Amino acid sequence: KVAPKHSHTIPRLELCAAVMGAEIYETVQEELEFEVDRVTFFTDSKVVLGYINNETKRFYVYVRNRVDRIRQLTKQNQWNYVPTNLNPANEATRSIPAGNLQNSLWLNGPPCKFFEQRDQRTFPSGATLAFPITNPRFDLPSSSTVLR
């Protein structure tokens, strides 16, 4: 998708991307002729993770509707953080010399040690990472954070 013409903050655009990921998951799940045991979603947006995991604060209607949609389609514990420098999706937005493409995150994903560390940190102990909620006053459209 292309960023809409009207003003949106980066966190709101990232939230829209999470909705899109959840909706793509729903479509694929409906079309598969077999059951998928486990699905994990990754984002490099701590703000989006804060929205998804929030149980106490109220959001503006725009954010609330999108968080509700994500929660309808997925479970909160399916969402995980990936550092920006290990996020394969970011490589699609940057130029990669053809000689480096074969070894890129885009084709290979994050290193195995990332998943091993994540599994040790979240699954055996049952602990989860905490992501603070941003103040909604700072999540209003602003000309300084608009993508065009």
Side-chain angles (χ1 to χ4, degrees):
K1 280 191 175 182
V2 177
K5 284 188 178 186
H6 53 287
S7 298
H8 278 297
T9 61
I10 298 297
R12 286 185 177 196
L13 291 172
E14 290 170 335
L15 185 60
C16 288
V19 171
M20 185 185 303
E23 289 176 344
I24 290 170
Y25 161 69
E26 177 188 39
T27 301
V28 169
Q29 188 178 24
E30 289 171 356
E31 297 299 321
L32 289 176
E33 295 179 3
F34 56 88
E35 187 82 18
V36 177
D37 294 334
R38 180 174 138 189
V39 174
T40 304
F41 299 91
F42 289 93
T43 179
D44 63 359
S45 173
K46 292 179 182 179
V47 174
V48 168
L49 290 171
Y51 287 154
I52 293 170
N53 290 300
N54 174 57
E55 296 292 340
T56 57
K57 291 196 178 195
R58 295 179 59 192
F59 299 119
Y60 291 107
V61 173
Y62 181 93
V63 172
R64 185 184 69 234
N65 288 343
R66 281 149 186 82
V67 170
D68 287 347
R69 182 70 176 142
I70 291 168
R71 288 182 179 173
Q72 288 171 357
L73 301 174
T74 66
K75 295 180 179 82
Q76 290 172 304
N77 65 358
Q78 288 179 283
W79 289 88
N80 292 276
Y81 177 72
V82 61
T84 300
N85 64 325
L86 296 178
N87 186 351
N90 284 341
E91 290 206 354
T93 65
R94 296 172 176 84
S95 66
I96 301 172
N100 298 346
L101 190 58
Q102 194 64 35
N103 297 321
S104 69
L105 286 173
W106 181 249
L107 294 180
N108 299 299
C112 290
K113 67 180 179 180
F114 166 74
F115 294 105
E116 292 165 2
Q117 290 169 350
R118 186 187 67 85
D119 287 345
Q120 290 170 2
R121 190 171 56 240
T122 59
F123 290 106
S125 67
T128 56
L129 296 174
F131 298 98
I133 303 297
T134 56
N135 186 329
R137 289 183 308 148
F138 301 114
D139 189 35
L140 296 174
S142 164
S143 60
S144 64
T145 57
V146 174
L147 291 180
R148 295 186 193 239

